[in-house]
Amino acid sequence: MHSTARTKKKLRAGLAAVVLAVVAFGLVWFEPWALWVDETVKEELPSATSTGGGRAEPGTAASPAPAGPRELARGELISHEHTTTGSVKLVQLADGTRTLRFEGLDTSSGPDLRVWLTDAPVKAGRAGWHVFDDGKHISLGKLKGNKGDQNYALPADIDWNAYTSVSIWCDRFDVSFGAAELTRA
């Protein structure tokens, strides 16, 4: 009888250790607290002297630069996995650099959110949650904050015309939080 009680005690301790390990893994993987933590970013549109953005196409150096920022494309964010609102602009600065800009962004915070420029169509509802990694996409970096106005420089070597949409992509769970179709100006 004594050994049966000891065996049961060991089983309970083992089970408790497994449950604790599963809960700890879940907390680390899902980061549920991130849904209640907001990060607001309020960036101005970069000036023409900023560095790190894309340049005008090769061979156009002789043409005069525009006097100021020029909007190349725009779109309105729609919700996917999480409620997401705001607008997106693709802007060319006077020096030829290009920037993707979110204005009035409002989405949930989450683990490993990225800004993706993609060639995928923007679909409403659940049909649009997983399409953005099916085709051509480029990451412009981690989402700086889940609220506000923010800028992402486009690499100099990409043809932005090959991309038709923007997604706030959760790389951890392969799902779009929200997206916008880009309409050329």
Side-chain angles (χ1 to χ4, degrees):
M1 185 87 166
H2 186 66
S3 66
T4 305
R6 195 175 303 154
T7 302
K8 285 182 181 181
K9 196 173 192 180
K10 285 181 181 180
L11 283 174
R12 282 190 210 126
L15 182 60
V18 168
V19 168
L20 186 59
V22 168
V23 169
F25 174 79
L27 288 173
V28 169
W29 182 252
F30 288 100
E31 297 179 23
W33 57 87
L35 293 173
W36 295 280
V37 177
D38 290 331
E39 178 82 27
T40 301
V41 175
K42 295 185 180 195
E43 294 181 328
E44 296 294 323
L45 186 63
S47 68
T49 59
S50 67
T51 60
R55 297 266 337 140
E57 282 78 24
T60 61
S63 62
R70 182 171 59 108
E71 187 175 297
L72 302 173
R74 76 170 14 253
E76 292 297 318
L77 290 162
I78 66 166
S79 300
H80 281 145
E81 173 70 24
H82 293 267
T83 301
T84 303
T85 59
S87 62
V88 180
K89 292 181 183 179
L90 186 68
V91 178
Q92 182 168 321
L93 303 176
D95 66 356
T97 59
R98 293 189 186 99
T99 298
L100 182 82
R101 178 168 174 78
F102 288 115
E103 292 183 342
L105 173 65
D106 189 355
T107 191
S108 297
S109 191
D112 207 14
L113 295 181
R114 307 291 173 148
V115 177
W116 277 14
L117 196 57
T118 81
D119 67 351
V122 175
K123 299 177 183 179
R126 290 187 69 100
W129 287 17
H130 301 283
V131 300
F132 298 100
D133 60 348
D134 293 343
K136 185 162 50 169
H137 59 274
I138 183 168
S139 177
L140 300 179
K142 287 190 172 212
L143 187 69
K144 296 174 185 177
N146 64 309
K147 296 186 180 299
D149 306 328
Q150 44 201 277
N151 306 300
Y152 298 86
L154 270 64
D157 60 346
I158 69 161
D159 174 12
W160 69 272
N161 287 301
Y163 300 93
T164 58
S165 60
V166 174
S167 173
I168 297 174
W169 185 257
C170 179
D171 219 20
R172 170 124 357 126
F173 297 106
D174 292 327
V175 67
S176 174
F177 272 35
E181 183 175 336
L182 292 173
T183 304
R184 303 308 190 236

